[in-house]
Amino acid sequence: MTLERRLPQETRALLLENIHPDATALLSKAGYQVETEDRALGEDELIERLAEVDVVGIRSRTNVTARAFAAAPHLLAVGAFCIGTNQIDLASASQHGVAVFNAPFSNTRSVVELVIAEIISMSRGLTDKTRQMHEGVWDKSADGSHEVRGRRLGIVGYGNIGSQLSVLAEALGMSVWFYDTEDKLALGNAKRCSSLEELLEGVDIVTLHVDGRPSNRGLFGEAELARMRKGSFFLNLSRGFVVDHAALRAHLESGHLAGAAIDVFPSEPKGKGDPFVSELRGLPNVVLTPHVGGSTEEAQQDIGRFVAGKLHDYLSLGSTSMSVNLPNLVLPPNAGEHRVTHVHANVPGVMAAVNSLFASHGMNIEGQYLGTRGDVGYAITDTPSDFSDEVVDALAAMQATIRLRVL
Ligand code: NAI
């Protein structure tokens, strides 16, 4: 168990991997000491640096392992300044009472804009036209070129990205059909399809925006491609393992599909300059991009602002809204003088014990909030000014206590 009682100016944040300067600005303005590094750290170096750090910010190339959590006694929170959190041992974070935050929708708009650009590009054969021009070939013709206005767009997966795409596509004059396994609110004039088959048979363009749950592996193969209308376009900017690329190549080569735009691949090169191998290389009217759907400077800036804001809300208020591992509590400002935040093992009797401790010291509770998630419970207790250190010591000594903070 660790007890933390720190003033903002005593809180130390380490931001790695060239996180956007807006994050540093926000945390510095809140009074924290912020150090930055423009690179990722290996496990040993990270462990060394975490010894004196309360908050760490990473992107996708720094792994925060169980060993790192075990060696970081002061660590309160990890900010993943990106979308994915696979690089963080979340179970270990929870066991140590460390809150993890990410930025799940900061790059939504960037993905949507690229989808729109690619739909127009395929409809006008831009990739082939520009290649020909660079090769010195002038071929002015309207054959096979179409407006997107009036075309029917089929969105598979109507989440953050799919639903925003729906709005922008309608603004361009497209009509939108969507299919989602959950019952999602249809925006604007979009039509909800009751099956994937209904969507595939009825639209001119199919775009995938499903999440990466394991059951989506191979979601789109020969059978699904075969159901699409002749001459339609296919886009995938979700996850590479969702689509069978050999089947897609066959449908493009046969002319059944008129074009494709693919941003994500079953296996992607690790670093810049590594060779890119794919069945889809060398095909006409196929837009290939290196997983850059969400990669814009605006998205990076928004990620910096969003995650730094989440870290500050956690440090100052105890709010775990949208934490990826701790129970999510959206908290109002402190109703009392002190706020005790208590990450504990989710076992019977913890709240009864906490409350009888406060009562036995004659302390009133001004506000109290509890959330549980798996093995972990998170309780917030707002108390008046006559606060007793004995209560803190007794709470700290409880067997179920994982992490205690007094704000
Ligand atoms: P989200 O979680 O908000 O939405 C996913 C939607 O797909 C949910 O509504 C879910 O119910 C639905 N869904 C899941 N499986 C389905 C299935 N088999 N059939 C129909 N609907 C299904 O996710 P968000 O933020 O919209 O992201 C969508 C995808 O885009 C994710 O896979 C994400 O990893 C990817 N992404 C790619 C980026 C890039 O750079 N290319 C950048 C950002 C996200």
Side-chain angles (χ1 to χ4, degrees), residues 118-316:
E118 290 177 340
I119 291 172
I120 296 173
S121 169
M122 286 188 283
S123 302
R124 304 294 287 271
L126 288 191
T127 50
D128 300 333
K129 287 203 166 61
T130 188
R131 183 182 42 75
Q132 283 178 341
M133 291 292 279
H134 282 287
E135 287 166 1
V137 179
W138 181 270
D139 179 15
K140 180 174 158 54
S141 153
D143 288 351
S145 278
H146 297 278
E147 293 184 353
V148 298
R149 177 172 51 168
R151 293 266 151 169
R152 196 176 285 161
L153 174 65
I155 301 173
V156 182
Y158 204 65
N160 296 318
I161 294 174
S163 57
Q164 187 165 158
L165 172 62
S166 173
V167 174
L168 264 74
E170 282 196 348
L172 275 174
M174 304 181 82
S175 76
V176 173
W177 287 20
F178 73 88
Y179 170 68
D180 198 294
T181 41
E182 283 181 27
D183 195 355
K184 295 291 177 123
L185 171 72
L187 300 179
N189 296 316
K191 169 187 148 82
R192 181 188 300 107
C193 295
S194 52
S195 67
L196 181 59
E197 290 71 27
E198 181 190 357
L199 178 138
L200 297 179
E201 289 167 6
V203 301
D204 306 305
I205 303 155
V206 173
T207 183
L208 304 188
H209 301 287
V210 298
D211 55 57
R213 70 186 71 184
S215 59
N216 280 340
R217 184 170 292 279
L219 174 73
F220 231 81
E222 171 55 36
E224 290 70 27
L225 292 162
R227 267 189 194 268
M228 287 173 60
R229 286 181 172 183
K230 180 161 171 42
S232 51
F233 297 133
F234 175 78
L235 298 93
N236 183 22
L237 289 87
S238 63
R239 295 292 180 98
F241 63 71
V242 170
V243 179
D244 176 347
H245 281 187
L248 177 58
R249 179 174 184 107
H251 281 268
L252 287 161
E253 278 180 330
S254 73
H256 174 224
L257 297 186
I262 305 293
D263 186 47
V264 287
F265 300 85
S267 134
E268 295 180 1
K270 286 251 176 303
K272 196 172 173 178
D274 289 353
F276 165 62
V277 181
S278 167
E279 287 104 328
L280 301 177
R281 279 176 45 186
L283 292 172
N285 211 20
V286 173
V287 184
L288 300 180
T289 46
H291 203 149
V292 291
S295 304
T296 61
E297 293 186 12
E298 288 77 10
Q300 286 308 317
Q301 182 172 19
D302 198 67
I303 288 170
R305 175 200 64 80
F306 184 88
V307 179
K310 290 283 165 204
L311 292 171
H312 177 50
D313 286 351
Y314 180 63
L315 294 170
S316 59

